[in-house]
Amino acid sequence: MRGVTLLEDLPEVIIDEILKRLPPKDAGRCRAVSTSWRSITSTPEFMLENHRHQPSLPIIDGRGQPASFVLFRGADTDASNQQLWPFIPGLKHYNLKPSLVVTCDGFLILLQQNKFYIYNPVMRKRALLPYPQAGKNECSNIIGFYRHQLTGEYRLLWTTFRPLSVVKYSLYILTVGSYARHVRVRMPTVLSPSAEHKLLEALRYSNYCPPPVHLGGSLHWCPFSVCSVSDITGGSGDIVVFDTEAESFRWMRSPDQAYPNRKLFDMNGTLGFWGSSIKGDAGGCLSFTALDIWVMQDYKAGIWAFKYRIDLSKVEASRQLYLTSCKGKKKTTLHSTVQWFNDMAVLNERELLIMFNDKHVLRCDTDGKVLGLVKIGKRQYCMSLTPHRFQESIIPIPSVP
């Protein structure tokens, strides 16, 4: 009779591949199994590869009822195992909840009481970030967060400005674990001081410019204010691109069709774009209830390809759906209830999340079939779909001075 093969009997390279595919928390626990496993799982290369094997998932804000910043894994997942906030014992009051600014490689950047923190939810560790050495009374905003490809450093793109005088913006790059350095706004063509000001101002307002999409070593922003961007670019593009290696900006064009409501997103490693247009019904009511999805077909040439449209008014499966409220459950016609789409996120290759009416998040497939409403605990209202995604990791926070 052949003996039983133990895991320890396998070649180290096979053990390494198995451990890389574990959820980060399980990979971290494996460090207690043996000295060799601890050695394998503690290298920077292993931790980064383990992180890359994790799914990139959307973050939903439950607005503290009953939880905030929930990582949505799927319809049948227990929400109690997905909660990213609160993480400080006893600090659960909604008014003390921080703002989620940007995410990268398993780290969250949070703003709370005018202080920026870097936080790893898996490791349950956080650290205070130092402000750039800006002038007195200057305000700061973090507009980007990325891992520098050549050095492996985690860097923050940071703007400062003084609000109570002639507004002048400055740009800094902060390496986590070090200090910030001032950088020039470099473009293919030289910008005037006023154009440089408009560019940084457009990226600063998070309500009008969602966090950038990091793909191919560049950050991509799509400011909602197309007019202000067109004033800077002279019509050469309306998407702002920052090359993280060259540390320079350039422009890119969005799809030719004009959309008053639009956003960039990562679609399985490809730059994606969604836009919604105003629709009117027979009664003269206007709404945003159709989404056009585009993908970048040729990045170098800047060619977009139309992929599909989600139009709620044409989806028969959406005619009846149970909506709940604080007063109880009632059966309602979904297409007559939805007034506008606020945001969209890709859950997987076949499923989307769509926020509507500022308080519900809808699940549907890419054919437009409604799959149900997202719930946090037993609630399916008073929630928002954040513009952030998250991939768990056990990468430690670089030492912050």
Side-chain angles (χ1 to χ4, degrees):
M1 182 176 179
R2 299 178 61 183
V4 178
T5 300
L6 299 176
L7 189 58
E8 291 83 354
D9 297 331
L10 296 174
E12 186 173 302
V13 65
I14 295 180
I15 295 176
D16 180 60
E17 288 300 316
I18 293 173
L19 295 176
K20 283 178 182 176
R21 286 162 172 75
L22 290 177
K25 287 184 179 180
D26 294 336
R29 294 188 185 104
C30 287
R31 292 173 176 173
V33 173
S34 67
T35 303
S36 63
W37 284 23
R38 183 176 187 85
S39 176
I40 290 173
T41 58
S42 297
T43 66
E45 294 78 12
F46 172 88
M47 290 185 286
L48 188 59
E49 281 301 308
N50 175 259
H51 159 73
R52 288 171 175 166
H53 279 93
Q54 309 310 314
S56 174
L57 300 171
I59 299 175
I60 294 176
D61 186 353
R63 302 176 184 174
Q65 304 176 26
S68 299
F69 301 156
V70 170
L71 194 62
F72 186 77
R73 299 180 184 276
D76 301 323
T77 310
D78 184 4
S80 64
N81 295 325
Q82 307 164 32
Q83 187 169 318
L84 300 178
W85 169 265
F87 62 92
I88 304 173
L91 189 57
K92 297 185 178 181
H93 195 277
Y94 176 74
N95 290 334
L96 297 178
K97 188 191 75 172
S99 299
L100 179 54
V101 183
V102 284
T103 66
C104 176
D105 281 6
F107 296 119
L108 309 178
I109 300 298
L110 303 171
L111 174 62
Q112 186 175 41
Q113 297 177 333
N114 296 320
K115 295 180 180 179
F116 288 99
Y117 294 89
I118 182 171
Y119 167 53
N120 184 325
V122 174
M123 306 298 288
R124 300 188 70 80
K125 300 290 185 181
R126 71 164 185 167
L128 180 66
L129 293 170
Y131 271 74
Q133 297 297 316
K136 187 177 180 181
N137 299 323
E138 288 199 351
C139 298
S140 296
N141 292 87
I142 294 175
I143 61 173
F145 186 20
Y146 59 93
R147 181 180 182 273
H148 189 252
Q149 188 66 34
L150 293 179
T151 64
E153 297 171 341
Y154 288 95
R155 297 181 178 181
L156 294 159
L157 207 56
W158 206 309
T159 61
T160 66
F161 67 99
R162 185 174 299 174
L164 299 179
S165 62
V166 177
V167 179
K168 180 181 179 181
Y169 288 87
S170 298
L171 182 67
Y172 293 84
I173 292 179
L174 170 68
T175 299
V176 179
S178 184
Y179 295 95
R181 55 186 171 87
H182 182 265
V183 294
R184 292 174 50 244
V185 177
R186 296 193 296 133
M187 298 284 295
T189 56
V190 178
L191 288 181
S192 66
S194 61
E196 182 177 320
H197 164 88
K198 289 181 180 180
L199 170 64
L200 296 180
E201 183 180 42
L203 299 182
R204 180 180 74 86
Y205 286 106
S206 59
N207 289 339
Y208 302 102
C209 183
V213 176
H214 187 193
L215 284 173
S218 294
L219 302 178
H220 305 76
W221 294 266
C222 187
F224 290 150
S225 180
V226 180
C227 294
S228 63
V229 174
S230 298
D231 292 341
I232 309 169
T233 66
S236 61
D238 54 358
I239 294 174
V240 184
V241 184
F242 178 75
D243 186 319
T244 60
E245 297 298 331
E247 296 184 349
S248 62
F249 290 90
R250 62 183 176 87
W251 306 108
M252 176 185 288
R253 290 184 181 276
S254 65
D256 290 335
Q257 185 170 341
Y259 296 98
N261 193 18
R262 64 211 197 112
K263 184 181 170 184
L264 296 174
F265 63 96
D266 182 345
M267 193 165 190
N268 302 317
T270 302
L271 191 62
F273 174 98
W274 68 256
S276 61
S277 301
I278 299 176
K279 294 182 61 178
D281 59 19
C285 296
L286 302 178
S287 64
F288 290 91
T289 56
L291 291 177
D292 288 345
I293 313 297
W294 299 73
V295 294
M296 180 62 76
Q297 188 177 54
D298 187 328
Y299 186 86
K300 290 185 178 180
I303 298 174
W304 294 90
F306 179 78
K307 195 168 181 66
Y308 50 80
R309 166 172 286 190
I310 303 295
D311 190 341
L312 192 64
S313 65
K314 297 180 180 180
V315 180
E316 293 299 325
S318 71
R319 297 304 182 183
Q320 294 292 323
L321 191 72
Y322 281 103
L323 293 176
T324 63
S325 67
C326 57
K327 297 180 180 180
K329 180 180 289 189
K330 60 179 180 180
K331 193 170 185 177
T332 185
T333 306
L334 181 62
H335 78 283
S336 64
T337 303
V338 177
Q339 297 173 314
W340 59 84
F341 287 156
N342 302 95
D343 206 345
M344 187 278 290
V346 175
L347 184 59
N348 52 53
E349 292 183 356
R350 290 291 303 165
E351 189 172 340
L352 308 173
L353 300 180
I354 298 176
M355 178 182 171
F356 67 93
N357 294 7
D358 291 328
K359 63 180 180 179
H360 291 288
V361 178
L362 178 75
R363 294 171 46 241
C364 71
D365 64 19
T366 54
D367 295 325
K369 180 181 178 182
V370 174
L371 304 176
L373 292 172
V374 170
K375 295 182 180 180
I376 299 179
K378 296 182 179 180
R379 299 171 73 107
Q380 57 176 221
Y381 55 93
C382 292
M383 67 179 69
S384 61
L385 184 61
T386 76
H388 306 283
R389 302 186 72 86
F390 185 73
Q391 279 182 282
E392 295 179 318
S393 82
I394 52 174
I395 300 172
I397 298 173
S399 299
V400 177

